[in-house]
Structures are given as structure tokens and as C-alpha cells.
Amino acid sequence: MIKVIIERHVVEGLEEVYQETVRSLLLQISDRPGFLKGDAYRDVHHPNHFYVISNWENIGSWERWHDSHDRQHMLNELAPFLESDEKCTVLALKVSYEAQPSKYAKPTQTYSY
């Protein structure tokens, strides 16, 4: 599994319209091959900075979506709201931590990639 973080800086004053648009666009990708989950976040200290964090089965699934005509169409819909180009970061999970009743978190899963 990989995790993709997409960072977008939205033009001040267009945050609400952006959120409505991205919400509907996220629903459109839910049936993409390899897509597992997606969440949209807003930075609490910089209210015009938004992040989409998605999980994909593998890098190939993400790259096919990233390079697809459908995604390009989606980016064209978002372009009027953005101050600059989005930034994508692709992460491969090596170790996962979860809070335990004990004082310190311990690794719960380790993955190879």
C-alpha cells in the first residue's frame, strides 16, 4: 500500500467553493482500480491550504490515475481555485505505530516495499 498526499493552496475567498468541488470530485475516483481510501483536510493554521490524503494498492495504481485523462479533467475544474500548482508526495509505509495503553507507542506493522 502507498499513501499519496496532495497539497493545494487555494485563492483566498474561494475556500468554500473549492471544498464543495473537491468533495464531488473525490466521489468520482472511488471506483478507480487500486484506490482504497481518500480524505480531504484543511490546515487549521493556514485556512487556504488543503490536503488530500489517499491510499492506493500500489504505485502503479496511483500512477495510472495520476496520468489519466480523467484526472487531468479534474485538475482543469480545480485550476480556477488554485494559487499555484498542486504538490504530490507519494509515501510507502515502512512501520506503523498505534497508541497502546502503555506509556509509549510500539510498532504494530512493518511492511516491505
Side-chain angles (χ1 to χ4, degrees), residues 50-64:
F50 292 85
Y51 299 85
V52 173
I53 301 175
S54 58
N55 295 344
W56 295 82
E57 286 180 1
N58 53 53
I59 189 70
S61 298
W62 160 251
E63 288 175 342
R64 280 187 292 282

Side-chain angles (χ1 to χ4, degrees), residues 33-111:
F35 176 80
L36 301 173
K37 177 185 174 188
D39 298 298
Y41 296 89
R42 186 176 192 174
D43 188 321
V44 296
H45 298 293
H46 304 281
N48 69 324
H49 292 192
F50 292 85
Y51 299 85
V52 173
I53 301 175
S54 58
N55 295 344
W56 295 82
E57 286 180 1
N58 53 53
I59 189 70
S61 298
W62 160 251
E63 288 175 342
R64 280 187 292 282
W65 166 246
H66 182 270
D67 299 336
S68 72
H69 174 73
D70 290 340
R71 185 167 192 280
Q72 287 305 312
H73 179 72
M74 181 189 82
L75 290 176
N76 290 340
E77 287 188 46
L78 293 176
F81 308 116
L82 304 182
E83 286 183 342
S84 57
D85 291 341
E86 68 180 18
K87 176 185 174 191
C88 296
T89 303
V90 179
L91 305 171
L93 181 64
K94 184 63 176 169
V95 178
S96 178
Y97 291 87
E98 292 181 19
Q100 301 291 324
S102 65
K103 187 174 178 180
Y104 300 101
K106 297 178 180 141
T108 58
Q109 298 178 30
T110 302
Y111 296 89

